[in-house]
Every structure is written in structure tokens, then in C-alpha cells.
């Protein structure tokens, strides 16, 4: 995820986007713990743990599945382009 984030984010916004992502991830931890505890109190521990494991496996599977994330990225952002033969050369 970080590589894709760095490929699609302009260089001058890298720090802000990384900071926002980190803050969003840290905020969701206590929210998820409270929600999971409430659901576990309602349904029981085993169904919640099985559902959590299924979600984790599905999430991991999407990381290995081929995707077209590079299709929307301009070539200049992904790799430096070779110099044009028609570009003026630098003075020596």
C-alpha cells in the first residue's frame, strides 16, 4: 500500500498523506476494539473470532491478487524516462 501511495501522491504532499494515513489507522484501533467487544458480548467470542479471521484472510488475498494499480499512474511518476534525443544538451 505504501508503494502505491507514494507513486500516486505528488512529492510535495508525501508527508501530509503519510501522516493522515497513520492517524486514520491509529484512530480505528480503539474503535474496532470497542465494536468487536460489543459484538462479542452479543454473539459470543467464537463467531467474532471466526469472522475476524475470515476478514483477515480475505484482506490478505487481495494483496496477492493481481491488480491494475499501475494502469492509472503516469509513466513519469513510476519510472524516470530516458532523455529525449531532441532535447538540448547541457553545456560542457
Amino acid at each position: 500500500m505504501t508503494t502505491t501511495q507514494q507513486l500516486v501522491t505528488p512529492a510535495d504532499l508525501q508527508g501530509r498523506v503519510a501522516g493522515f494515513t497513520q492517524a486514520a489507522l491509529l484512530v480505528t484501533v480503539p474503535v474496532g476494539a470497542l465494536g468487536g467487544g460489543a459484538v462479542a458480548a452479543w454473539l459470543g467470542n467464537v463467531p467474532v473470532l471466526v469472522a475476524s479471521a475470515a476478514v483477515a484472510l480475505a484482506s490478505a488475498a487481495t494483496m496477492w491478487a493481481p491488480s491494475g494499480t499501475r494502469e492509472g499512474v503516469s509513466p513519469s511518476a513510476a519510472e524516470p524516462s530516458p532523455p529525449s534525443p531532441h532535447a538540448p544538451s547541457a553545456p560542457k
Side-chain angles (χ1 to χ4, degrees):
M1 181 172 146
T2 301
T3 302
T4 303
Q5 175 183 315
Q6 290 173 345
L7 284 174
V8 299
T9 304
D12 59 330
L13 296 176
Q14 292 279 338
R16 288 179 186 230
V17 171
F20 177 79
T21 302
Q22 188 67 29
L25 291 173
L26 288 174
V27 166
T28 59
V29 171
V31 172
L34 286 171
V39 173
W42 179 45
L43 295 176
N45 291 340
V46 174
V48 172
L49 290 174
V50 169
S52 298
V55 168
L57 287 173
S59 298
T62 62
M63 298 302 286
W64 289 300
S67 66
T69 55
R70 292 182 61 99
E71 291 176 11
V73 177
S74 66
S76 61
E79 299 174 1
S81 59
S84 171
H86 303 292
S89 59
K92 296 180 181 179

